[in-house]
């Protein structure tokens, strides 16, 4: 497709369960970002990939959260032992990346998000 | 953590009026971007202004940047009901890992 695709669009799970959220970025975009957004708040940075590697995972809240991007395209955000506080919309975005040192980041292209509800 | 603070948190105006939203941030930046989010949807990029620029225009949008005050403003002229959305500023600093840090947003309501 032309845009960033996220699946599932909605996920309801029980406390303690394992969840995977998938992001399919725009073809050719080397950078991929995960954000989390609670109601009425701005997106909160979780992790950023440049290619296959996590360039910055400083936003992951704890070790229950993990993300992979094994082939430099599709990414999966994995949440273990889900808690009610994990309920939020998880947004994925892609871009051409910051580019060479000293240049500026361009725009991010966002998916529609995956709404996670932990009961 | 959030970098920016936006003001006001909510703004309600009539169609045809101008809407001004402000963003303040804490650290030095390489660029600042504004995004729009319709309810229940993803974010859409509106405009990017670099740290060496003071003003930028795109259609009915005008963005200013004052790096000495660490602040930016977004002006939407001749607003339309379809402009109703949340608006977020986001800052980028290359040596902080290449990520965009978003503010809390301004919820704009334009009444027909």
């Amino acid at each position: 497709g032309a845009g960033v695709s996220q699946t599932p669009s909605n996920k309801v799970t029980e406390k303690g369960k394992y969840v995977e959220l998938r992001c399919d970025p725009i073809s050719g975009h080397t950078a991929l970002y995960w954000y989390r957004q609670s109601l009425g708040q701005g997106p909160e940075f979780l992790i950023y990939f440049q290619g296959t590697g996590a360039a910055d995972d400083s936003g992951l809240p704890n070790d229950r959260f993990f993300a992979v991007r094994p082939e430099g395209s599709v990414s999966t955000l994995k949440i273990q032992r889900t808690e009610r506080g994990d309920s939020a919309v998880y947004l994925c975005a892609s871009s051409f990346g910051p580019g060479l040192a000293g240049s500026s980041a361009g725009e991010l292209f966002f998916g529609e998000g995956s709404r996670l509800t932990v009961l | 953590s959030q970098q920016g603070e936006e003001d006001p948190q909510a703004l309600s105006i009539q169609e045809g009026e101008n809407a001004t939203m402000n963003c303040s941030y804490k650290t030095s930046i390489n660029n600042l971007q504004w995004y729009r989010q319709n309810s229940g949807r993803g974010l859409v990029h509106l405009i990017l202004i670099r740290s060496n620029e003071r003003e930028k225009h795109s259609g009915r949008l005008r963005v200013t940047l004052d790096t000495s005050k660490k602040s930016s403003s977004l002006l939407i002229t001749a607003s339309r009901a379809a402009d109703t959305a949340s608006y977020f500023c986001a800052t980028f600093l290359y040596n902080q890992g290449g990520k965009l840090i978003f503010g809390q947003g301004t919820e704009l309501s334009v009444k027909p």
Side-chain angles (χ1 to χ4, degrees):
Chain A
V4 176
S5 176
Q6 290 189 246
T7 54
S9 54
N10 275 288
K11 176 69 177 179
V12 180
T13 191
E14 292 179 345
K15 182 175 176 296
K17 299 290 188 184
Y18 170 80
V19 166
E20 286 190 354
L21 306 175
R22 175 188 166 108
C23 174
D24 200 339
I26 292 172
S27 178
H29 280 186
T30 58
L32 185 146
Y33 305 76
W34 283 100
Y35 288 83
R36 178 169 71 175
Q37 187 176 27
S38 299
L39 190 63
Q41 302 292 313
E44 175 192 14
F45 171 79
L46 296 177
I47 186 169
Y48 150 58
F49 289 89
Q50 182 64 35
T52 61
D56 185 340
D57 65 357
S58 61
L60 293 177
N62 51 59
D63 61 6
R64 294 186 299 104
F65 288 75
F66 190 71
V68 295
R69 195 186 185 199
E71 297 177 357
S73 179
V74 171
S75 175
T76 304
L77 178 65
K78 308 180 181 193
I79 310 174
Q80 298 178 320
R81 305 183 304 280
T82 51
E83 300 177 356
R84 292 194 180 89
D86 298 335
S87 296
V89 176
Y90 289 82
L91 296 167
C92 176
S94 68
S95 79
F96 289 109
L100 301 176
S103 67
S104 297
E107 64 182 285
L108 299 191
F109 294 81
F110 280 84
E112 297 287 278
S114 291
R115 180 177 298 278
L116 175 65
T117 303
V118 182
L119 301 176
Chain B
S1 63
Q2 303 299 130
Q3 153 86 304
E5 291 189 5
E6 290 172 72
D7 157 55
Q9 289 188 321
L11 179 61
S12 182
I13 59 174
Q14 293 295 129
E15 220 170 16
E17 294 179 340
N18 295 343
T20 299
M21 290 160 267
N22 303 296
C23 168
S24 60
Y25 56 91
K26 299 172 185 172
T27 69
S28 59
I29 60 172
N30 291 108
N31 71 56
L32 185 144
Q33 303 178 32
W34 285 89
Y35 286 78
R36 166 197 169 124
Q37 184 178 36
N38 283 43
S39 181
R41 307 297 298 273
L43 283 80
V44 175
H45 180 267
L46 294 176
I47 195 165
L48 179 155
I49 187 166
R50 292 185 168 79
S51 59
N52 60 355
E53 297 176 312
R54 292 296 167 258
E55 187 170 314
K56 202 160 183 180
H57 296 253
S58 176
R60 292 185 296 114
L61 305 180
R62 172 177 167 253
V63 169
T64 62
L65 179 64
D66 186 335
T67 53
S68 67
K69 295 181 179 177
K70 291 187 169 58
S71 68
S72 173
S73 68
L74 171 68
L75 168 68
I76 304 174
T77 59
S79 63
R80 305 166 183 168
D83 295 329
T84 295
S86 292
Y87 292 82
F88 297 92
C89 67
T91 54
F92 172 74
L93 182 60
Y94 186 80
N95 64 9
Q96 285 190 345
K99 59 183 179 278
L100 273 184
I101 302 296
F102 284 83
Q104 300 291 351
T106 293
E107 190 174 336
L108 173 66
S109 174
V110 181
K111 300 187 186 313

